[in-house]
Amino acid sequence: MEILRSGLLQRALLEVVILGATCGALGVWLLHLRHTYAAESLAHAMLPGLVIAALVGAPLLLGAAGGVLVAAALIALAARDTRVGPEIAVGVTVTTAFGLGAVLALAPDVPARLGELLFGDLLGTSTSDLVAACALGTCVGLALCAGHRSLTATVFDPVAAPSLGVRPGRVDLALLILLALAVVAAVQGLGNLLVLALIVAPAAAAIRLGRTVGAQITLAAGLGALAGLLGLVASAELDTAAGASVALAAIALWLIAALLAPGAPQATGGRRSLVEILVS
Amino acid sequence: MSAASAAAASGVQVQDLSASYGSAAIALREVTFTATGGQAVAVLGPNGGGKTTLFRALLGELEATTGSVTVHGTIAYVPQTERSRLDFPVSALDVALMGAYGRTPWFRRITAGDRAAARAALERVDLADRAGTRFGALSGGQRQRVLIARALVQDAHVLLLDEPFAGVDRTSEEAIMGILAGLRAEGRVLLIATHDVEQARGWDRVLCLAGAQIAYGPPAETLTNAVLEGTYGEEIVMLDCGHRAVAIQHHSH
């Protein structure tokens, strides 16, 4: 198979398998905590920051953090107006940020590679991208192991969690920081838009199939890696866009899980977005 | 924990307590009561009357605006079972083990001793055979008993029970009453938030709250028509020429 002989594809394969496994495991907790909408919003809100960082040659992580902070400040400001409210404030701010990021990234006089921030370029994976993915995987893995009990208590009953010595606000914040790191690490390979597929779809499939949280996390990591492998092989064989093929492979795995376990429990209720409707 | 140690250690003292949420208006005013080991106190009042505020202040989650709260011994909160995530894949044993989270640092595994304590607690609430059952698959009464088992794993001297009989069938209610009687006999302090005026007559003390303390004392002295009307206002219906009272509650959950 060509994918095993080409150094370019080998690197892309390693990158997407690491990212798939990491995003899958992280996604299980994001879905259980009903943070899908937050994940979607966070990824979109950081786009202008990513693009500006890429334009001026600053670290992407710095740009992402700046983008999120500016979006958070704008949301807080808009939400203070009682005629607007928090729901509309999030919707308007995130859409504005994403639109602004897309305009900057796709403008004719900016370098062509900035468009990759939207849809990714797996085949352009560099050694530093691989190092970033490995660092992210290690960081997320350690954090999820260390925080397993806190996450469990927070999901089970956030109101009672403080009486068990757990602070749900800190747990939420830590998880959203991990999410931001994952989006930044994956943006080169999968793009700001498609990375959500690897965070949501394998986790949604695993939640349908796994009987314990541990099993769901293991399964989501495996399915994320598998989606990366299948998507990249399909991309090489069919000459399709790599990032989009990986995203479609992840959705296909979720569809198979939904068919295999149609009546299985699924994280429900709370805030819903387009992505969340997909997983329900 | 032995019965003797629980009796010696447990107690709650609340003096002139007022509490609020941030800069919002005072949610609870002028609460003063003492509960000693082995006492069960019914905390009676309408929704928004301050029962949750009092529990949060006792748990240390809410700072007193004025006054003081002193809790002798470990305190545990037993929430309403409907508020737990029933679709989350944790077993009854997993939930009981959450009682050990507070004393287990993040870098340590749950000890074999705590696992044994969780199994013993489930056995005590007569659910040893359901240890591996998914929490969401249990009945309302069984879930409530698992949450009490979790408080036992916390080794709690003082238990704050938030409407433990809400949504529970008669058989489970009797089972829970039996468990609570056992905990009282061991010298633990029980504070039971409830809407059931008739059930409150069966506990040692009654604390009536309606934004402020209306009354505190033995049921016979506290549950008078005047106090109940002061607590519930229009939301109380007197039956049997004032010998029985029913609180009309509008649940938001």
Side-chain angles (χ1 to χ4, degrees), chain A residues 161-183:
Chain A
S163 71
L164 302 171
V166 172
R167 303 177 91 159
R170 287 187 181 180
V171 172
D172 279 342
L173 182 64
L175 202 65
L176 290 178
I177 289 172
L178 287 179
L179 169 68
L181 289 174
V183 172

Side-chain angles (χ1 to χ4, degrees), chain A residues 129-152:
Chain A
D129 291 330
L130 267 179
V131 170
C134 286
L136 170 80
T138 310
C139 185
V140 168
L142 288 174
L144 293 188
C145 285
H148 187 84
R149 290 194 290 266
S150 298
L151 285 159
T152 300

Side-chain angles (χ1 to χ4, degrees), chain A residues 38 50 52 56 59 68 126 153 180 187 198 227 254:
Chain A
L50 286 174
I52 291 168
V56 302
V68 169
S126 65
V187 78
L198 268 192
W254 169 79

Side-chain angles (χ1 to χ4, degrees), chain A residues 29 31-34 145-146 148-153 155-160 162-166 210-213 216 265-268, chain B residues 59 61 75-77 79-80 83-90 95 98-99 101-110 134-135 147 150 154:
Chain A
W29 286 114
L31 261 61
H32 275 310
L33 280 165
R34 310 192 205 290
C145 285
H148 187 84
R149 290 194 290 266
S150 298
L151 285 159
T152 300
V155 173
F156 183 68
D157 184 355
V159 173
S163 71
L164 302 171
V166 172
R211 293 174 67 88
T212 65
V213 186
Q216 289 176 352
Q266 179 75 63
T268 54
Chain B
L59 287 163
E61 294 171 16
I75 190 165
Y77 175 57
Q80 290 181 46
R83 292 191 179 160
S84 309
R85 277 281 295 278
L86 303 183
D87 61 341
F88 190 54
V90 282
V95 174
M98 288 179 194
Y101 283 7
R103 59 176 173 265
T104 312
W106 62 269
F107 51 87
R108 290 242 166 87
R109 293 171 69 90
I110 296 281
R134 197 174 168 133
F135 184 78
L147 293 175
R150 184 174 77 178
Q154 283 180 274

Side-chain angles (χ1 to χ4, degrees), chain B residues 139-177:
Chain B
S139 73
Q142 288 172 329
R143 290 200 297 268
Q144 196 64 59
R145 280 145 65 192
V146 172
L147 293 175
I148 293 173
R150 184 174 77 178
L152 294 178
V153 176
Q154 283 180 274
D155 209 3
H157 301 77
V158 179
L159 281 83
L160 310 179
L161 298 113
D162 192 356
E163 298 187 33
F165 304 103
V168 166
D169 60 51
R170 177 63 70 179
T171 313
S172 291
E173 186 178 322
E174 284 168 6
I176 293 168
M177 287 292 267

